[in-house]
Amino acid sequence: MTTITKAADCSTVLTASTAQAIKAAAIDAVMRYLGSWSKSLVQGEPGIIHDAGLALGLIWEGNPTYAAYFTTSQAATDVANAVASAKAHGTPAGTGIAFTADYEAQDKDLGSIVAYFGVIIANIIDYKPGAYGDKEVLDALYQVYGDKLWYWQTSAWSGGQQCSYAALYQHTYGQTISGVQVDISEVYSDPGFWVSGVKGDDFMTVLMQGSTGDAVKTLQTNLNKLLGLNLAVDGQYGPATAAAVKSFQLQHGLTVDGIDGPQTQAAIAAALGALDVSVDKAKLQAVINELETVLAHAKALL
């Protein structure tokens, strides 16, 4: 799996040449905007981005630059439009979509922003919501929602302080690469990007609290096998399954977020493989013991 350490927020439609130039500048991923405005991703652009070897981070942004924007009705509209736009681009399930608070929010604004994101979380379908904002905004959201969101922090209005839990930290603004203006972020953990070179149904589905279906049943079965648990194999990713995932992550040195993402899925596959190998060894030893018994009987006849 491609390691993502640096990302660029691009406000311009990318072509094959500009995407390749960004990749050549040691950028691993680009962030682009959903919707239908001047900064938006256009049809076919995800393929161009992936063909250049870049991952793609998705942002929904209406006009979140003042306190009055953050209403529950606006949140319902934003999440519906964001999901429709993501699906129109063929975005795989489990990908993150970041919703933004793109201004210096005051303490009195935080309640409305938290309520706005609550509606986003409750109504988003197939995708996992992220939050982009300064430290004060993200801290308020993290205290309420924890790992139900991905967190993308901007250094603007953050007073030089970083959130320890943020997946990425945007810190350099207004740079130009091959005529494209970009803002640069460091990436510290899985930010929910559409992974480079992975398209449509080939994408590894990210499972989290609220996920349902056969993939969750498989996860529960595997956790029972690896951890000696007795989780109900019911296809419902609830608190017990999330706690089991966290336990597995802790034991294997992974980010403990309770989300069955690409790194956790790879570690589970490796652990199952190792378990299968040990079972094969046990079977082999049994065969050896049986052969030794037969050989001993044969020698006794000589």
Side-chain angles (χ1 to χ4, degrees):
M1 178 148 180
T2 302
T3 300
I4 302 171
T5 60
K6 197 176 293 292
D9 183 332
C10 306
S11 58
T12 304
V13 174
L14 298 178
T15 64
S17 61
T18 55
Q20 290 163 6
I22 289 171
K23 178 66 176 178
I27 304 294
D28 307 304
V30 294
M31 288 117 80
R32 294 285 290 115
Y33 295 81
L34 294 169
S36 56
W37 60 305
S38 60
K39 292 185 178 182
S40 292
L41 193 69
V42 300
Q43 288 299 317
E45 193 180 351
I48 290 171
I49 290 167
H50 287 146
D51 288 344
L54 295 163
L56 174 58
L58 298 175
I59 304 168
W60 175 268
E61 187 165 286
N63 189 24
T65 57
Y66 60 103
Y69 180 85
F70 293 92
T71 65
T72 55
S73 61
Q74 184 65 57
T77 298
D78 285 352
V79 72
N81 289 335
V83 167
S85 181
K87 288 184 178 295
H89 287 289
T91 307
T95 305
I97 301 175
F99 297 81
T100 71
D102 202 6
Y103 77 110
E104 186 174 9
Q106 305 302 304
D107 288 347
K108 61 183 176 59
D109 303 341
L110 297 179
S112 296
I113 293 173
V114 169
Y116 169 93
F117 276 92
V119 174
I120 297 293
I121 292 168
N123 289 277
I124 199 163
I125 299 171
D126 291 333
Y127 305 110
K128 181 176 177 183
Y132 168 94
D134 64 27
K135 187 176 188 301
E136 186 175 16
V137 168
L138 296 192
D139 280 348
L141 293 171
Y142 188 71
Q143 288 174 12
V144 176
Y145 302 122
D147 60 10
K148 292 180 180 178
L149 291 167
W150 265 298
Y151 297 92
W152 300 3
Q153 184 186 358
T154 174
S155 63
W157 318 299
S158 290
Q161 300 183 59
Q162 287 187 238
C163 303
S164 61
Y165 52 84
L168 66 78
Y169 182 64
Q170 187 182 69
H171 56 76
T172 302
Y173 307 88
Q175 302 295 299
T176 301
I177 300 175
S178 191
V180 177
Q181 184 170 305
V182 299
D183 300 331
I184 305 298
S185 299
E186 300 299 321
V187 180
Y188 304 115
S189 60
D190 179 13
F193 288 168
W194 184 350
V195 179
S196 175
V198 181
K199 302 179 182 180
D201 294 336
D202 294 332
F203 188 79
M204 184 180 287
T205 300
V206 174
L207 302 175
M208 65 198 78
Q209 284 204 58
S211 296
T212 60
D214 290 341
V216 177
K217 289 182 179 179
T218 299
L219 172 64
Q220 291 165 331
T221 299
N222 290 338
L223 290 170
N224 285 339
K225 186 175 183 180
L226 293 170
L227 301 178
L229 301 175
N230 191 29
L231 288 172
V233 182
D234 57 7
Q236 303 292 322
Y237 201 124
T241 300
V245 170
K246 287 181 179 179
S247 178
F248 178 87
Q249 291 169 330
L250 182 63
Q251 292 178 31
H252 290 79
L254 302 168
T255 299
V256 181
D257 58 9
I259 298 169
D260 184 44
Q263 291 182 340
T264 299
Q265 290 174 16
I268 287 175
L272 289 169
L275 190 62
D276 289 341
V277 168
S278 65
V279 170
D280 289 344
K281 287 181 178 179
K283 290 180 179 179
L284 178 60
Q285 186 61 55
V287 172
I288 291 172
N289 293 341
E290 185 176 347
L291 289 173
E292 287 177 343
T293 300
V294 172
L295 182 60
H297 288 162
K299 287 182 177 180
L301 297 174
L302 294 177

